[in-house]
Amino acid sequence: MANTYTQIYIHVVFTVAGRQNLIRKEHKEELHKYITGIIQNKCQKVLAINSMPDHIHILIGMKPNAAISDLVRDVKTNSSKFINEKKWVMGKFNWQEGFGAFSYSNSQLGTVIRYIEGQDRHHSRRTFKDEYLEMLRKFSVEYDAKYVFDWIEDTL
């Protein structure tokens, strides 16, 4: 699109179906590379990616030629297929329906990247449920608790 100039940064968060701990440490790097490839093939840019056993965070530099819902759908569909083909889990792997998407300015990127990179440390002190609900509150996202992911009881 000629004469179109944008600066769009979206932090996407989604979880494994049933909040199961299915993303194993030894598969994280390969999964992250695969997801990065999906996003790059859609002409978007991954600025940071990290996952925990039950969820994933991705910071994406977006161009206006893609809808975030379409991009996340493609990431979830293709990465689920990839995980199933690799037989990394017993049974069938799926991501849970829905996702969170939060926008940031250029001046906030360093903080968000460090936050995503520090997930292991962060979750040693805080559950994913607490983290996610805090993000919704921080961004003033209205929600009905019964529709915010299928929670299992978190323990630290």
Side-chain angles (χ1 to χ4, degrees), residues 102-128:
F102 309 95
S103 61
Y104 286 93
S105 68
N106 189 16
S107 64
Q108 297 170 302
L109 292 183
T111 301
V112 178
I113 290 168
R114 284 188 298 279
Y115 177 80
I116 291 171
E117 290 173 345
Q119 284 294 295
D120 289 325
R121 182 178 61 258
H122 178 74
H123 284 293
S124 69
R125 300 182 308 270
R126 189 174 196 186
T127 66
F128 172 64

Side-chain angles (χ1 to χ4, degrees), residues 36-140:
T36 297
I38 295 167
I39 294 169
Q40 289 174 339
N41 286 337
K42 300 292 181 180
C43 301
Q44 310 305 315
K45 184 176 182 180
V46 172
L47 302 173
I49 185 170
N50 198 1
S51 58
M52 295 300 294
D54 65 346
H55 71 280
I56 191 162
H57 292 257
I58 311 167
L59 179 61
I60 305 169
M62 298 280 304
K63 294 181 181 179
N65 64 340
I68 189 67
S69 57
D70 292 342
L71 182 61
V72 173
R73 178 201 62 220
D74 291 346
V75 166
K76 289 167 78 173
T77 299
N78 290 308
S79 62
S80 291
K81 182 178 177 190
F82 175 75
I83 291 167
N84 286 318
E85 287 173 352
K86 290 282 191 175
K87 299 185 186 322
W88 285 347
V89 299
M90 290 181 59
K92 187 173 181 188
F93 178 91
N94 283 302
W95 296 106
Q96 191 162 319
E97 186 176 337
F99 62 93
F102 309 95
S103 61
Y104 286 93
S105 68
N106 189 16
S107 64
Q108 297 170 302
L109 292 183
T111 301
V112 178
I113 290 168
R114 284 188 298 279
Y115 177 80
I116 291 171
E117 290 173 345
Q119 284 294 295
D120 289 325
R121 182 178 61 258
H122 178 74
H123 284 293
S124 69
R125 300 182 308 270
R126 189 174 196 186
T127 66
F128 172 64
K129 181 177 183 179
D130 290 342
E131 171 190 44
Y132 191 73
L133 294 176
E134 177 60 27
M135 291 175 84
L136 293 174
R137 286 189 288 274
K138 176 181 172 185
F139 284 87
S140 300

